[in-house]
Amino acid sequence: MMAQYLALKAEAGDCLLFYRMGDFFELFFDDAKAAAATLDIALTARGEHDGRPVPMCGVPVHAAEAYLARLIRAGHRVAIAEQTESPAAAKARGGKALVARAIVRFVTAGTLTEEALLDARAANWLVALGEAGGMLGLAAADISTGRFEIAAIDRAALDAELARYGAAEVIVPEGFALPGAVARPKPDFDSAGGAARLKALFGVATLDGLGQFGRAELAAAGGLVAYLDHAGKGALPFLQRPVSRGMAAHMTIDAATRESLELTRASGGGRAGSLLDCIDRTVTGAGARLLAADIGAPLMDRQAIDERLDLVDHYVRDGGARDGMRAALRALPDIGRALGRLVAGRGGPRDLAQLRDGLGEARLMRERLAHDDAMPPLLKALLPAFDGHGALVDRLARALVPSPPLDAAQGGYIAEGYDAALDALRGQGGEGRRAIAELEARYRGETGIAALKIRHNAVLGYHVEVPARHAEPLMRADSGFTHRQTLAGVVRFNAPDLHEQALRVGQAGAHALAAEAAHLEELIALAVVRRDAIAATADALARLDVASALAELAVTQNWCRPLLVDAPCLDIAGGRHPVVEAAVSRAGERFVANDCTLTEQARLWLVTGPNMGGKSTFLRQNALIAVLAQAGSFVPATRARLGLIDRLFSRVGASDNLARGRSTFMVEMVETAAILAQATPRSFVILDEVGRGTSTYDGLAIAWAVVEAVHEDNCCRCLFATHYHELTRLADRLDALSLHHVRAREWKGELVLLHELGEGPADRSYGLAVARLAGLPPAVLARAGAVLKKLEAGREATGGIAAGLDDLPLFAAAPPPEPAADPLAEALAAIDPDALTPREALDALYRLKALAADQP
């Protein structure tokens, strides 16, 4: 057995091996140690290998999914080794032949389809990256629903794209440096092989009908399909026809900005506290997944955005239609994921019943919606997806019982009247069970043992069971009973007529199970043939859920429809931060709304004011409003008018990244550098306290230069919050810079934060007042006040730390610094290694060493 295990373990590689032994999956050696620690189960030992006990642990087969879920969440990958023959078949091969086993599936984070292993309200993306011709391709699939996307991406945008998907698993070719990714053989990522795999997968002779894909995209798609084939051991899951996703089709949002704005995940991890969690009013899992995708990838197509907004507006205006739609959707099963399980070969009768119920309701919904005279364009485009399932729904309705069991092995899911032969077999089984009940009554009468019972178990089958004190009469040779088993309190027997009836029942039951299994296979095949149409219906239902949910949000929270225009503006009246507003509302307080008017003439706002005054909230709320608007949602404002934003950047708050050796200031500088390198005139940037974390002079110098660069080079819309009041001098030199502040007042020695935005610079920072609010000791505050007076006196005497900055030329006009001469580099560049003799090379090395010693 150990030889068989070790061979399978070699095939499993770095995966934990679930080795099937009867009713348990067993793990051995280091796999057992890792699993026992993760699952908190007992670690034992069995036999010896190389003179040492073999560590082992196991999990029951019937509960394996729950254990798999915990292992996958802990970052493990699992190979499932099943018995591929019965013990009887192994015995027939001769002697003590070992039952054959083989790995039937690799379970990884990106290849899950089981309902128990997935979050119903979150997509589960598997992403593959490929390279060809100096280009980078990305392929992404959620095999639980079949969504399949392919894109060509810039290497600089890789982090942003990976952050958009939030992939459960990323696979790359060997040698591709990406932390946390799974490396696969390079031949899997061959572009020609990728094209061949796509053709075979979709049964086409040419890819022209699927789309125009470059070599890098085909390489990524090929790697993804090859990995799925490997994970399923040749059984590919459901993949819809690939959708080509161009980078220009969506607002680009990098990973740091997503984290800063907490779009789909809060800073502490998890969904709670994020924008998505705050706005999600969807009533189906598919709708929740689609809403997350919309928020994660806001559109750049104005017409497509307006079509989404028209559909939301339709349900805002018609409350009856909105309530009816949400009530109908709330009762629907998740047909997308049910279909995914069926196509992957992991589905059962309950998944078919979900298709029956979901597609049946979709058909009724189509009939109701067809009478709507004021139908928006997107709704009209979605309606055809609900048609064409009538024959399948009718077949499933006739074939299945109303609530099929989860486990098909026990049967009982095919409805009575669907198959006369099956009904006859069930009748025979029922008659046999009635005959057995009659036998039980007869045996009691003949033996006089009232406690006699006929029972059934998997080992003995049907048998007679009597209490041990009554067993002696049945033990006699002429009793007609045969002793089978003695337990602590009972004795078990068999009888010829019972055996005969049991055979009849068993044969009828086995034939009935086989007939049901054949029907199940046929019904699944009928559903799989219509997989693309069913997936389209699931997507259409999800879109209606998102639209009606956003309408519910808009009505209950008093949100407005944004107006998309061509001008690069961000004109928001009464804007609010949705997450903060919800939090203060729960506390019984009122959120203070603020306006934001970024135009071509005033596209950079410099915002000053005290800590806790609301600067960061103001910056974030405007970024979130832009995301919501381009995702096709109403927004938390009384009026919103904005030009499309191609890239969104947020440098608001930072923390140490110790794992990568970066301090808070380093993280801030890296993110700011990315903004200055990538922001375009159509971008929107929010920057908060750039320059903190270093000396006052360094920080002010950096902040000053960043403001100039954003204004002169990037020319984008920008909100810049700062405590460096010296930066307000730039308003006299930068035409598109406008000064604003968050208002605060001191009243009877106490600081009152108004959270209102006013024009012009703040009169001071109120730092000591905020420190008093925070509870600093009075003695410390008094000392700080005395030090502050001294510093302010010195500033007035010297002209302040910004003295002389007004004489500097603007960022764009400042000449670049002359590079310092480097004798070592010049001497190195003058050497031709191929032309040197060994002696000349040694002399050159000594000269270079001497030059290096002279360097400062």
Side-chain angles (χ1 to χ4, degrees):
M1 187 202 82
M2 195 51 63
Q4 183 189 67
Y5 169 84
L6 292 173
L8 291 171
K9 178 58 185 172
E11 182 183 350
D14 60 354
C15 297
L16 302 182
L17 180 61
F18 269 32
Y19 183 82
R20 178 73 177 264
M21 294 180 67
D23 293 333
F24 279 78
F25 284 119
E26 303 288 359
L27 298 97
F28 300 98
F29 300 105
D30 290 342
D31 286 2
K33 295 176 182 178
T38 302
L39 301 174
D40 192 23
I41 59 178
L43 181 68
T44 61
R46 171 176 177 164
E48 288 189 353
H49 181 71
D50 292 339
R52 289 177 294 179
V54 177
M56 68 171 293
C57 65
V59 300
V61 171
H62 72 270
E65 278 194 1
Y67 291 104
L68 279 173
R70 293 169 62 184
L71 290 171
I72 297 301
R73 281 195 294 268
H76 295 291
R77 300 160 69 235
V78 180
I80 307 292
E82 284 279 7
Q83 296 174 182
T84 55
E85 65 176 351
S86 66
K91 187 175 182 180
R93 286 194 283 111
K96 297 182 178 180
L98 189 65
V99 174
R101 292 175 176 84
I103 294 177
V104 297
R105 180 189 172 197
F106 289 89
V107 184
T108 69
T111 60
L112 303 176
T113 57
E114 289 82 355
E115 194 171 7
L117 304 184
L118 292 169
D119 181 351
R121 303 185 72 80
N124 194 63
W125 288 105
L126 170 69
V127 170
L129 301 175
E131 291 180 295
M135 302 294 291
L136 192 61
L138 179 149
D142 180 355
I143 68 168
S144 68
T145 58
R147 290 182 62 189
F148 187 17
E149 300 177 359
I150 300 177
I153 60 174
D154 295 333
R155 191 169 292 274
L158 176 58
D159 287 345
E161 286 298 294
L162 292 177
R164 176 167 75 86
Y165 284 104
E169 189 173 11
V170 180
I171 55 174
V172 296
E174 291 172 335
F176 191 106
L178 185 67
V182 178
R184 297 292 300 160
K186 276 191 174 181
D188 287 356
F189 295 82
D190 175 71
S191 59
R197 289 191 184 97
L198 289 180
K199 291 176 185 177
L201 178 63
F202 296 105
V204 296
T206 175
L207 296 178
D208 293 344
L210 298 179
Q212 299 298 317
F213 304 116
R215 288 176 55 208
E217 294 165 277
L218 291 173
L224 185 140
V225 174
Y227 184 68
L228 291 175
D229 185 62
H230 160 77
K233 298 297 287 182
L236 282 172
F238 175 42
L239 290 179
Q240 299 180 38
R241 288 178 169 243
V243 176
S244 182
R245 299 288 292 266
M247 286 184 57
H250 301 278
M251 179 194 293
T252 299
I253 311 174
D254 62 28
T257 299
R258 289 176 190 275
E259 183 178 351
S260 169
L261 297 179
E262 300 177 292
L263 294 183
T264 56
R265 292 180 63 83
S267 57
R271 198 172 186 264
S274 67
L275 172 68
L276 177 63
D277 180 61
C278 175
I279 69 170
D280 188 359
R281 302 292 191 275
T282 58
V283 294
T284 69
R289 297 192 296 269
L290 182 58
L291 178 61
D294 289 350
I295 295 300
L299 299 176
M300 282 297 294
D301 184 334
R302 183 173 160 188
Q303 180 180 347
I305 298 170
D306 281 333
E307 286 181 354
R308 288 186 185 179
L309 290 171
D310 286 342
L311 186 54
V312 176
D313 200 14
H314 170 72
Y315 287 116
V316 167
R317 296 174 184 275
D318 191 340
R322 180 178 71 251
D323 293 341
M325 175 59 70
R326 287 171 60 76
L329 289 168
R330 189 176 282 109
L332 290 183
D334 196 336
I335 61 175
R337 284 197 164 166
L339 177 66
R341 290 189 290 272
L342 289 169
V343 177
R346 300 167 200 156
R350 186 168 294 183
D351 295 305
L352 286 173
Q354 290 185 354
L355 294 190
R356 174 198 63 196
D357 299 340
L359 296 176
E361 181 58 36
R363 181 168 55 174
L364 297 175
M365 193 179 296
R366 167 74 172 85
E367 294 172 0
R368 292 194 297 267
L369 292 173
H371 301 296
D372 191 343
D373 297 327
M375 193 181 300
L378 183 53
L379 181 55
K380 191 176 296 184
L382 292 174
L383 281 189
F386 298 144
D387 287 334
H389 304 302
L392 176 62
V393 171
D394 292 343
R395 181 74 171 272
L396 294 175
R398 287 190 297 109
L400 298 172
V401 298
S403 299
L406 185 62
D407 184 9
Q410 301 304 314
Y413 48 85
I414 297 297
E416 187 175 350
Y418 180 70
D419 180 356
L422 174 60
D423 292 344
L425 288 170
R426 287 173 171 169
Q428 292 174 18
E431 291 172 2
R433 283 187 288 273
R434 282 192 295 273
I436 288 174
E438 292 172 0
L439 277 177
E440 182 180 77
R442 198 184 91 197
Y443 290 158
R444 286 177 182 172
E446 292 175 350
T447 62
I449 303 172
L452 181 147
K453 296 182 184 300
I454 293 180
R455 298 189 181 279
H456 181 276
N457 64 33
V459 177
L460 298 180
Y462 284 100
H463 58 273
V464 174
E465 183 177 283
V466 298
R469 65 181 179 276
H470 298 305
E472 186 176 347
L474 277 63
M475 288 286 194
R476 291 197 296 265
D478 58 351
S479 68
F481 293 91
T482 304
H483 176 252
R484 295 296 307 276
Q485 190 178 42
T486 298
L487 300 178
V490 297
V491 181
R492 292 170 174 171
F493 300 87
N494 203 350
D497 43 2
L498 175 60
H499 179 66
E500 184 179 339
Q501 289 295 345
L503 282 177
R504 291 196 187 100
V505 171
Q507 289 174 354
H511 291 158
L513 285 175
E516 286 200 77
H519 286 309
L520 179 63
E521 186 176 343
E522 179 187 12
L523 294 171
I524 289 175
L526 290 175
V528 168
V529 166
R530 294 195 53 77
R531 58 184 178 271
D532 292 327
I534 296 171
T537 302
D539 292 343
L541 290 170
R543 177 55 63 195
L544 291 180
D545 188 14
V546 169
S548 57
L550 290 175
E552 179 77 9
L553 177 72
V555 170
T556 56
Q557 302 300 313
N558 193 27
W559 288 17
C560 75
R561 174 172 178 162
L563 174 64
L564 281 302
V565 298
D566 293 327
C569 64
L570 190 70
D571 182 8
I572 297 167
R576 290 115 60 195
H577 191 299
V579 181
V580 177
E581 182 181 29
V584 299
S585 295
R586 287 193 295 270
E589 301 176 8
R590 183 180 65 87
F591 185 90
V592 179
N594 280 296
D595 300 345
C596 179
T597 310
L598 297 178
T599 64
E600 291 186 76
Q601 293 74 35
R603 52 183 158 79
L604 196 162
W605 278 22
L606 195 66
V607 183
T608 53
N611 282 317
M612 300 173 59
K615 297 192 301 296
S616 297
T617 298
F618 175 72
L619 266 59
R620 284 190 172 101
Q621 76 186 35
N622 289 291
L624 295 181
I625 287 171
V627 168
L628 288 167
Q630 289 186 218
S633 169
F634 280 33
V635 298
T638 55
R639 187 190 72 250
R641 175 176 170 272
L642 66 156
L644 291 178
I645 293 167
D646 65 347
R647 292 171 178 262
L648 178 64
F649 296 97
S650 170
R651 225 282 352 130
V652 180
S655 59
D656 289 348
N657 190 334
L658 299 179
R660 300 178 66 178
R662 291 176 176 175
S663 66
T664 300
F665 181 69
M666 183 62 175
V667 171
E668 175 185 308
M669 290 298 98
V670 168
E671 293 175 3
T672 304
I675 293 170
L676 297 179
Q678 299 175 44
T680 74
R682 298 182 70 193
S683 300
F684 180 40
V685 176
I686 59 173
L687 294 164
D688 190 14
E689 306 295 352
V690 170
R692 65 182 173 183
T694 185
S695 75
T696 302
Y697 286 98
D698 283 353
L700 174 59
I702 291 169
W704 186 287
V706 168
V707 171
E708 289 187 337
V710 168
H711 184 279
E712 296 296 310
D713 289 352
N714 300 107
C715 303
C716 58
R717 287 159 284 182
C718 177
L719 298 175
F720 193 110
T722 186
H723 278 294
Y724 292 124
H725 288 262
E726 293 79 6
L727 294 179
T728 58
R729 298 186 184 186
L730 286 167
D732 298 329
R733 313 174 67 196
L734 305 179
D735 296 336
L737 187 147
S738 178
L739 300 180
H740 300 266
H741 69 281
V742 289
R743 297 175 58 204
R745 293 288 182 270
E746 284 195 86
W747 176 255
K748 296 181 179 180
E750 297 294 329
L751 179 66
V752 180
L753 301 169
L754 302 178
H755 303 293
E756 295 176 352
L757 205 71
E759 294 188 357
D763 53 356
R764 53 198 177 97
S765 290
Y766 297 96
L768 293 186
V770 173
R772 186 180 298 110
L773 278 179
L776 257 65
V780 174
L781 291 171
R783 178 59 177 165
V787 173
L788 178 61
K789 287 181 181 179
K790 286 285 187 181
L791 292 174
E792 288 177 339
R795 181 179 64 187
E796 291 175 4
T798 63
I801 64 171
L805 288 181
D806 292 330
D807 299 330
L808 280 174
L810 280 177
F811 178 85
E818 290 290 334
D822 187 347
L824 181 60
E826 293 173 357
L828 192 60
I831 294 174
D832 180 5
D834 294 332
L836 297 179
T837 65
R839 180 63 188 175
E840 290 170 339
L842 187 61
D843 292 338
L845 184 61
Y846 280 115
R847 287 197 303 274
L848 293 173
K849 187 173 181 181
L851 285 171
D854 294 334
Q855 294 269 344

